[in-house]
Amino acid sequence: MIGVVIPVHNEEACLAACLEALSMAATCPQLAGEAVSIVVVLDACTDRSQRIVLRHAMQADARWRLDCIAVDARNVGAARAAGARLLLSRGARWLAFTDADTCVSHDWLSMQLLQKADAVCGTVAVDDWSPHEDHALALREHFARTYTDADGHRHIHGANFGVCARAYLRAGGFAPLACSEDVALVAALQATGARIAWSAAPRVTTSARRDAKARGGFGDTLLQVVGAMGVAEVVKELVTSAVQAPAPALNA
């Protein structure tokens, strides 16, 4: 059985699209009918996220199931670990992780398994930069210049990550970290000698939203880049103004 974990904290705006994409991945013909169990971990949710999960769970069939558990950790590492524990108790041989603001491709799970590795670190793509308004074009160009969306990359994203159950347990699982829990787990996997595939084959599309959920995460990193762009623009304007300003008169 393949397990999928999605940590959620008040994600009613994007959760439905995430679950719809996962239902397609769970029924991919390349999985040859292997069962998929999807667990949404509701972490201190006060919105309609649970209702959305229950509505989508009604669409499940013999090939896949969807359910949710609730925690009050306000901690993405703890939420991912809670979902993983449940799936391991159900007998999952492979654990895949994504985020609520992310839509996976139809062959996302099968592409992870095809890497024949202990763990798979995938890349992310963004198809809508509009939340950043005036900086959208510059941010998209910056991402295209600086991000490696190809095999051999060294990016780590909780939104596109998979690991076999044995390697996950040897590495100690996700630590209860508020951010960079994915980076910490990959480091632990490397310390155990796990074979990691740095692959761009498992595809996901994530959001460029401005209301970043985790300090230090992908969304927060984008905000920092935008902030740096804003500072650069202010400095440029000040320099331009100084150059164009008339020279002060000299007093005799």
Side-chain angles (χ1 to χ4, degrees):
M1 184 262 283
I2 300 167
V4 181
V5 179
I6 312 102
V8 168
H9 174 64
N10 292 343
E11 296 283 13
E12 64 181 10
C14 54
L15 185 54
C18 170
L19 296 178
E20 183 64 31
L22 280 170
S23 70
M24 298 295 290
T27 55
C28 176
Q30 291 173 271
L31 294 179
E34 182 170 3
V36 176
S37 182
I38 304 170
V39 173
V40 175
V41 183
L42 302 167
D43 189 0
C45 287
T46 57
D47 67 351
R48 297 185 307 115
S49 291
Q50 183 178 23
R51 280 188 244 172
I52 293 170
V53 175
L54 296 177
R55 185 173 72 244
H56 279 77
M58 296 175 63
Q59 303 171 14
D61 56 32
R63 295 169 294 178
W64 66 286
R65 66 180 289 184
L66 167 65
D67 56 350
C68 59
I69 59 174
V71 299
D72 190 21
R74 295 182 181 272
N75 182 291
V76 66
R80 291 195 200 277
R85 280 194 300 272
L86 176 59
L87 289 168
L88 290 170
S89 73
R90 292 177 178 174
R93 71 177 183 94
W94 183 265
L95 300 171
F97 299 86
T98 190
D99 290 335
D101 67 337
T102 301
C103 290
V104 306
S105 63
H106 74 282
D107 59 355
W108 178 61
L109 292 171
S110 57
M111 287 296 104
Q112 285 191 1
L113 297 175
L114 280 174
Q115 304 310 307
K116 304 295 184 183
D118 294 318
V120 179
C121 293
T123 57
V124 300
V126 177
D127 61 2
D128 181 14
W129 295 97
S130 63
H132 292 277
E133 300 174 338
D134 293 344
H135 291 102
L137 178 59
L139 188 57
R140 184 179 68 185
E141 293 175 345
H142 173 83
F143 184 78
R145 287 194 311 269
T146 61
Y147 189 83
T148 303
D149 190 1
D151 290 347
H153 68 86
R154 284 298 183 270
H155 304 299
I156 300 173
H157 301 288
N160 191 357
F161 179 71
V163 59
C164 77
R166 291 190 302 273
Y168 179 85
L169 290 170
R170 280 198 305 270
F174 279 106
L177 300 175
C179 70
S180 299
E181 79 291 345
D182 44 5
V183 176
L185 177 55
V186 171
L189 286 165
Q190 290 173 319
T192 66
R195 294 173 294 112
I196 298 176
W198 303 87
S199 175
R203 305 298 300 173
V204 307
T205 301
T206 196
S207 75
R209 63 186 183 185
R210 295 179 60 85
D211 58 330
K213 295 290 184 178
R215 181 65 60 87
F218 181 72
D220 187 55
T221 299
L222 293 180
L223 290 176
Q224 292 180 37
V225 173
V226 170
M229 289 177 177
V231 170
E233 289 173 359
V234 171
V235 171
K236 182 178 179 180
E237 290 176 3
L238 291 173
V239 171
T240 301
S241 298
V243 170
Q244 294 177 346
L250 295 176
N251 292 325

PDB file of all heavy atoms in Angstrom, residues 12 41 74 136-137 148 183 185 222 248:
ATOM      1  N   GLU A  12      -9.021  25.841   3.400  1.00  0.00           N
ATOM      2  CA  GLU A  12     -10.257  25.629   2.650  1.00  0.00           C
ATOM      3  C   GLU A  12     -10.211  26.229   1.240  1.00  0.00           C
ATOM      4  O   GLU A  12     -10.900  25.747   0.339  1.00  0.00           O
ATOM      5  CB  GLU A  12     -11.450  26.210   3.405  1.00  0.00           C
ATOM      6  CG  GLU A  12     -11.404  27.714   3.594  1.00  0.00           C
ATOM      7  CD  GLU A  12     -12.608  28.245   4.370  1.00  0.00           C
ATOM      8  OE1 GLU A  12     -13.374  27.418   4.914  1.00  0.00           O
ATOM      9  OE2 GLU A  12     -12.775  29.476   4.420  1.00  0.00           O
ATOM     10  N   VAL A  41      -3.989  15.626   7.574  1.00  0.00           N
ATOM     11  CA  VAL A  41      -3.779  15.899   8.998  1.00  0.00           C
ATOM     12  C   VAL A  41      -4.232  17.328   9.275  1.00  0.00           C
ATOM     13  O   VAL A  41      -3.570  18.294   8.888  1.00  0.00           O
ATOM     14  CB  VAL A  41      -2.305  15.709   9.404  1.00  0.00           C
ATOM     15  CG1 VAL A  41      -2.147  15.926  10.906  1.00  0.00           C
ATOM     16  CG2 VAL A  41      -1.821  14.319   9.014  1.00  0.00           C
ATOM     17  N   ARG A  74       0.051  22.794  15.675  1.00  0.00           N
ATOM     18  CA  ARG A  74       0.499  24.019  14.988  1.00  0.00           C
ATOM     19  C   ARG A  74       1.972  23.879  14.590  1.00  0.00           C
ATOM     20  O   ARG A  74       2.788  24.773  14.788  1.00  0.00           O
ATOM     21  CB  ARG A  74       0.287  25.256  15.864  1.00  0.00           C
ATOM     22  CG  ARG A  74      -1.180  25.542  16.146  1.00  0.00           C
ATOM     23  CD  ARG A  74      -1.374  26.798  16.963  1.00  0.00           C
ATOM     24  NE  ARG A  74      -2.777  27.042  17.234  1.00  0.00           N
ATOM     25  CZ  ARG A  74      -3.593  27.738  16.425  1.00  0.00           C
ATOM     26  NH1 ARG A  74      -3.103  28.249  15.307  1.00  0.00           N
ATOM     27  NH2 ARG A  74      -4.861  27.915  16.737  1.00  0.00           N
ATOM     28  N   ALA A 136       5.202  40.261  -9.993  1.00  0.00           N
ATOM     29  CA  ALA A 136       4.962  38.920 -10.522  1.00  0.00           C
ATOM     30  C   ALA A 136       5.932  38.550 -11.647  1.00  0.00           C
ATOM     31  O   ALA A 136       6.528  37.474 -11.638  1.00  0.00           O
ATOM     32  CB  ALA A 136       3.517  38.800 -11.005  1.00  0.00           C
ATOM     33  N   LEU A 137       6.080  39.428 -12.625  1.00  0.00           N
ATOM     34  CA  LEU A 137       6.946  39.133 -13.764  1.00  0.00           C
ATOM     35  C   LEU A 137       8.403  38.993 -13.323  1.00  0.00           C
ATOM     36  O   LEU A 137       9.093  38.040 -13.718  1.00  0.00           O
ATOM     37  CB  LEU A 137       6.824  40.216 -14.834  1.00  0.00           C
ATOM     38  CG  LEU A 137       7.724  40.034 -16.070  1.00  0.00           C
ATOM     39  CD1 LEU A 137       7.419  38.706 -16.753  1.00  0.00           C
ATOM     40  CD2 LEU A 137       7.520  41.198 -17.048  1.00  0.00           C
ATOM     41  N   THR A 148      16.596  25.120 -10.262  1.00  0.00           N
ATOM     42  CA  THR A 148      16.971  24.008 -11.129  1.00  0.00           C
ATOM     43  C   THR A 148      15.840  22.989 -11.187  1.00  0.00           C
ATOM     44  O   THR A 148      15.655  22.188 -10.259  1.00  0.00           O
ATOM     45  CB  THR A 148      18.253  23.318 -10.622  1.00  0.00           C
ATOM     46  OG1 THR A 148      19.301  24.287 -10.528  1.00  0.00           O
ATOM     47  CG2 THR A 148      18.669  22.197 -11.570  1.00  0.00           C
ATOM     48  N   VAL A 183      13.987  19.244   5.207  1.00  0.00           N
ATOM     49  CA  VAL A 183      15.444  19.309   5.103  1.00  0.00           C
ATOM     50  C   VAL A 183      16.096  18.440   6.182  1.00  0.00           C
ATOM     51  O   VAL A 183      17.055  17.707   5.923  1.00  0.00           O
ATOM     52  CB  VAL A 183      15.936  20.769   5.221  1.00  0.00           C
ATOM     53  CG1 VAL A 183      17.455  20.837   5.218  1.00  0.00           C
ATOM     54  CG2 VAL A 183      15.360  21.616   4.087  1.00  0.00           C
ATOM     55  N   LEU A 185      14.829  15.814   7.642  1.00  0.00           N
ATOM     56  CA  LEU A 185      14.636  14.391   7.368  1.00  0.00           C
ATOM     57  C   LEU A 185      15.584  13.913   6.271  1.00  0.00           C
ATOM     58  O   LEU A 185      16.158  12.814   6.381  1.00  0.00           O
ATOM     59  CB  LEU A 185      13.187  14.118   6.956  1.00  0.00           C
ATOM     60  CG  LEU A 185      12.881  12.664   6.580  1.00  0.00           C
ATOM     61  CD1 LEU A 185      13.276  11.706   7.704  1.00  0.00           C
ATOM     62  CD2 LEU A 185      11.412  12.497   6.230  1.00  0.00           C
ATOM     63  N   LEU A 222       9.780  33.167  -1.217  1.00  0.00           N
ATOM     64  CA  LEU A 222       9.345  34.062  -2.294  1.00  0.00           C
ATOM     65  C   LEU A 222       9.098  35.475  -1.763  1.00  0.00           C
ATOM     66  O   LEU A 222       9.454  36.463  -2.415  1.00  0.00           O
ATOM     67  CB  LEU A 222       8.066  33.529  -2.943  1.00  0.00           C
ATOM     68  CG  LEU A 222       8.176  32.217  -3.724  1.00  0.00           C
ATOM     69  CD1 LEU A 222       6.824  31.841  -4.302  1.00  0.00           C
ATOM     70  CD2 LEU A 222       9.221  32.326  -4.834  1.00  0.00           C
ATOM     71  N   PRO A 248      23.983  71.770  -5.638  1.00  0.00           N
ATOM     72  CA  PRO A 248      23.719  72.915  -4.733  1.00  0.00           C
ATOM     73  C   PRO A 248      24.617  74.095  -5.100  1.00  0.00           C
ATOM     74  O   PRO A 248      25.753  73.927  -5.545  1.00  0.00           O
ATOM     75  CB  PRO A 248      24.059  72.338  -3.348  1.00  0.00           C
ATOM     76  CG  PRO A 248      25.021  71.227  -3.633  1.00  0.00           C
ATOM     77  CD  PRO A 248      24.589  70.646  -4.928  1.00  0.00           C
TER      78      PRO A 248
END
